[in-house]
Amino acid sequence: LRKMITRIRDVVYNSPNVTGEISKAYGIGEPYPSSIPKAIAMAEVITEAYTAFKAWSNLNGIIDADMETLRNQVDLVRLAEKAQGDAMEERTNLTQEFLMLQKKIESEVTTISKRGILAFQKTNPELATKFKALIPSRRKARAKASQAKQETAKPVATT
């Protein structure tokens, strides 16, 4: 799309009989479209300029086939952009589902652990302690991460 925009703008810019009005209509002097939305907007500007100055454009080598190609490329870019947006939305939804499932599992583990603690607190304190260790907490997760980091940082002894 950007190449087609550049080619059309180059034709207009290099035409010997171009007027300021035509140059402005085709976006000559505007920055090169650096993003997809800007490229689509520039393609629309070019299409409007072609419609407004069709006779001049045809005399200088910009023809209906060029505009059809430009429109087709805009359509393809829009479809690709939509497909990418849909894929990103799907990934986001899957991540949210995963996080909700993880939270449910942690909640159930916590419930079971609390019941185990209550059931074995007096009769088997060692087992109650193991149930307590099952309860997920941010502090435990941070401690495990810190411990793992320290273990990987230790130099390996060589003999």
Side-chain angles (χ1 to χ4, degrees):
L1 177 63
R2 290 181 188 155
K3 286 181 182 180
M4 188 67 179
I5 290 169
T6 302
R7 286 184 198 136
I8 292 171
R9 288 175 68 182
D10 284 347
V11 168
V12 173
Y13 182 77
N14 293 320
S15 294
N17 59 348
V18 68
T19 65
E21 181 183 14
I22 294 171
S23 289
K24 187 173 183 177
Y26 273 97
I28 305 300
E30 294 294 320
Y32 182 78
S34 58
S35 66
I36 291 172
K38 288 180 181 179
I40 291 172
M42 183 56 71
E44 290 170 359
V45 165
I46 289 172
T47 303
E48 290 172 12
Y50 179 77
T51 303
F53 300 101
K54 186 171 184 170
W56 181 91
S57 300
N58 291 156
L59 285 172
N60 287 282
I62 304 170
I63 58 175
D64 289 338
D66 296 329
M67 291 298 106
E68 187 64 31
T69 301
L70 185 66
R71 281 187 218 101
N72 289 340
Q73 288 180 358
V74 167
D75 291 343
L76 286 173
V77 167
R78 283 185 173 145
L79 282 173
E81 195 174 35
K82 183 182 180 327
Q84 185 178 13
D86 291 347
M88 287 174 59
E89 184 177 339
E90 179 65 23
R91 282 193 304 266
T92 300
N93 290 340
L94 289 174
T95 300
Q96 287 177 343
E97 287 176 21
F98 171 78
L99 292 173
M100 287 172 41
L101 179 61
Q102 182 179 2
K103 191 170 186 169
K104 270 184 174 178
I105 291 170
E106 288 177 356
S107 175
E108 292 301 318
V109 167
T110 300
T111 301
I112 292 168
S113 297
K114 286 179 179 178
R115 288 181 181 167
I117 291 168
L118 289 174
F120 295 106
Q121 195 169 17
K122 293 181 182 174
T123 58
N124 191 344
E126 186 178 316
L127 188 57
T129 304
K130 289 182 181 183
F131 272 106
K132 188 175 184 179
L134 291 175
I135 298 175
S137 75
R138 297 194 193 291
R139 190 177 307 148
K140 288 179 189 175
R142 279 193 215 126
K144 280 184 182 179
S146 177
Q147 183 180 8
K149 198 182 238 184
Q150 288 174 355
E151 286 176 5
T152 58
K154 290 179 184 176
V156 177
T158 57
T159 56

